[in-house]
Amino acid sequence: MAETNIAAPGTTEEKQNWIQWLAVAGLVYLLICAVGMIGGGFKAAAGDQAKELFAFASNPFAGLVVGTVATALIQSSSTVTSIIVGLVAGGLPVEVAVPMVMGANIGTSITNTIVSLGHVREKSEFKRAFSAATVHDFFNLLSVVVFLPLEIAFGLLEGLGKMLAAPFYGGGSASMSGLNFIKAATAPVVDTAKGALLSLGDQIGGILLIVFGIGLIFLSIAYIGKLLKKLMVGKAKEIMHTAIGKGPVSGIFSGTLVTVLVQSSSTTTSLMVPLAGSGAFGLKQIYPFTLGANIGTCITALLAATAVTGNGEAALQIAFIHLTYNVLGVLLIFGLPFLRYLPVKAAEWLGATASENKMAALAYILCVFFIIPGVCLGITSLV
Amino acid sequence: MADLKLIKTSTLRDLVEETEHRLDELREELERREDTERHHEIDRLDEHMKHAELSLTSIRDFISEMLADMRNKKAS
C-alpha cells in the first residue's frame, strides 16, 4: 500500500500528522490574512496614487524585470504572486501586474538551477542535472517571448482573466460575493492589524502593514512548503509512479498534482534535478513534470485572491491571469510540434556547455536572473 | 552472414520480419528495464528531496570545482 502518512488510530504518529495538518490549515489562514493586509496597506499608503506609484513598472519590460528579480531573490513565485494579488486588490493596475506575474515565472526557475549546481562533481551527472533545471528556464523564457507581445498588443490575458473573474463578482445570480465566508473569517485578524498599524498614519501605517504582510506571506509559504513536503511525500510518490510509462500528458498532470499537494513549484522542479542526475529520467521525461509544476503553482494566487479587501474582482482577475498564462503556455508551446522541444534542445546544449566549462553555468545564472534584468531596468528607467 | 545477393527473396522477407519482431522485443525489454529503474528512483523520493534543497555546501562545492576547472585550463 502507498505511504500516505496515515498511521493507526490514536498513535503518536497519527497525532503528529493531525497537528501538522492543523498547522497547515492555520498557515493557509495566515497567508490569506497577509494578502488582505497587503491590499489594505497599499490602499492606505498609496490612496489614489497607486498608478503613479507604479508608473516605473507601467513599461511592461520593467514589470517583467521586477517580477523576475523579486522572485529570484525571494526564491518563491507563490510568495511574489500572492504579494501581487494583494497589491492589485489595493489598487495596483492589473495591466501593470501582468508582466510581473510573467517575470515571477522566470525568477522561480533560479531555484532548481542553483540546486543542480550540487551535482557538479561528476561531469555527466552535472550535464543531466543542469539540463533538467534549465529546461524550466527556457520554457518560461519562450512563454514570455510568445505571450508578452500578445499581451502588449491585444491585452489577451487581461481579457481572459476578466472573463473568468466576472462570474464571481456582481454578476447577477451567479455572484458569490455575498457568500464570502473566507473574507468574514479573515476579517478579525486583518482588521486588527490594520487598526494597530494604520493608527500611525495612512502612509507610515500602510507601508508597515505591507511589510508585515509580506513577511507573513513569506513565512507562511515557507512553512506550508516544509510541512506539506513531509505530509505529502507518500502521495507524491504514488502520483509519480502512476505517471511512469504513460506519456507526456500524464507527466504534465502529475507535475500539476504534485505541485498542488506540496504548494511549491520550486519543490517539484528541484526534485526533477536529482531524478535527472541519477540518469533514470531523461530530459524528455522530466520536461512534462516541469510544465505541470507551472500550472500547479497557480493555486496559491487563487487562494490568496479569495479573501482580499479592496478590489476583489481585480485580485481574482490577476490570479486567473496567472493560471491562464501558464495553461496557455503549456498548450501552445507543448502543443505545437515545432515549439515543443525547443526548450529541451536549448537545455541540452546549455547542459553540455556547462559540463565542459563550469564558468558558463555561473555566467548563465548571473546574466539571466540578475545582470540582464538589471540592465533592462536601468534602461527603462532612463527612457 | 552469407552474401545477401544469394539469399532468396522469400527468405530475405522472413529475415526482415524476424528482425523487426526481435527489435520490438528488445525495445520492450529496454523500456521495461528503464521503467523499473524509474520506479526505483521514485521510491527513493525522500532521499532525492534532501538533494533537491538549496544548500550553501553545494554552492561552495560548485565554486571550488569551477575555480579548479579554470586553474587546470590555465595550466594546460
Side-chain angles (χ1 to χ4, degrees), chain A:
Chain A
M1 189 192 274
E3 182 192 326
T4 52
N5 278 339
I6 299 174
T11 60
T12 315
E13 202 186 318
E14 198 206 32
K15 279 183 193 147
Q16 210 170 27
N17 279 352
W18 275 111
I19 291 168
Q20 285 174 330
W21 277 115
L22 276 172
V24 168
L27 287 165
V28 168
Y29 173 78
L30 276 179
L31 167 67
I32 299 172
C33 290
V35 175
M37 286 177 204
I38 288 175
F42 188 61
K43 201 171 178 184
D48 298 326
Q49 312 295 316
K51 206 168 180 171
E52 286 75 21
L53 207 64
F54 274 87
F56 75 93
S58 59
N59 179 323
F61 297 99
L64 184 74
V65 162
V66 165
T68 305
V69 175
T71 311
L73 290 172
I74 295 175
Q75 297 272 305
S76 166
S77 61
S78 303
T79 303
V80 171
T81 51
S82 300
I83 292 168
I84 292 171
V85 165
L87 292 175
V88 167
L92 178 70
V94 170
E95 64 265 23
V96 172
V98 173
M100 289 182 184
V101 159
M102 293 183 179
N105 256 32
I106 297 173
T108 199
S109 49
I110 196 179
T111 309
N112 68 350
T113 308
I114 295 175
V115 166
S116 71
L117 300 182
H119 294 260
V120 70
R121 292 197 183 280
E122 209 286 298
K123 197 174 175 180
S124 54
E125 191 181 315
F126 181 57
K127 181 179 165 185
R128 289 190 296 264
F130 199 69
S131 298
T134 54
V135 75
H136 191 206
D137 307 353
F138 284 116
F139 177 84
N140 288 327
L141 286 166
L142 184 56
S143 220
V144 166
V145 164
V146 170
F147 285 98
L148 186 60
L150 287 174
E151 184 58 20
I152 293 168
F154 308 110
L156 169 74
L157 296 169
E158 207 182 316
L160 285 170
K162 199 178 181 100
M163 206 172 69
L164 290 167
F168 295 88
Y169 281 90
S173 59
S175 170
M176 285 168 64
S177 54
L179 300 171
N180 201 333
F181 61 92
I182 301 174
K183 206 178 210 167
T186 54
V189 174
V190 177
D191 291 345
T192 305
K194 269 181 177 174
L197 291 173
L198 293 182
S199 62
L200 300 169
D202 277 356
Q203 287 220 325
I204 294 172
I207 291 168
L208 285 172
L209 200 51
I210 292 170
V211 169
F212 183 62
I214 289 173
L216 210 52
I217 287 180
F218 186 71
L219 286 171
S220 49
I221 286 179
Y223 281 105
I224 287 170
K226 273 189 160 68
L227 286 166
L228 286 178
K229 257 197 243 186
K230 278 189 226 166
L231 290 165
M232 301 310 298
V233 66
K235 203 70 192 163
K237 275 190 203 176
E238 211 180 295
I239 291 165
M240 291 176 78
H241 275 303
T242 58
I244 301 295
K246 299 262 188 339
V249 175
S250 176
I252 292 171
F253 276 114
S254 303
T256 305
L257 267 176
V258 170
T259 306
V260 169
L261 289 177
V262 300
Q263 283 289 297
S264 167
S265 59
S266 305
T267 299
T268 311
T269 55
S270 297
L271 202 50
M272 296 301 112
V273 168
L275 288 175
S278 72
F281 287 81
L283 201 48
K284 285 194 175 170
Q285 281 91 45
I286 294 297
Y287 183 40
F289 276 108
T290 301
L291 303 189
N294 264 11
I295 298 172
T297 198
C298 298
I299 201 96
T300 316
L302 281 168
L303 198 64
T306 54
V308 288
T309 52
N311 195 342
E313 190 172 354
L316 194 58
Q317 182 186 359
I318 194 68
F320 274 124
I321 286 169
H322 187 213
L323 177 66
T324 320
Y325 170 59
N326 281 299
V327 169
L328 286 179
V330 171
L331 287 175
L332 189 76
I333 296 170
F334 200 79
L336 293 176
F338 67 93
L339 286 181
R340 183 179 304 163
Y341 291 117
L342 281 182
V344 170
K345 287 189 170 74
E348 278 172 346
W349 169 80
L350 187 62
T353 307
S355 65
E356 293 299 331
N357 185 354
K358 314 289 185 289
M359 189 65 169
L362 181 65
Y364 167 79
I365 292 170
L366 291 175
C367 282
V368 169
F369 297 102
F370 299 105
I371 297 172
I372 293 173
V375 166
C376 290
L377 198 59
I379 292 171
T380 53
S381 67
L382 290 170
V383 165

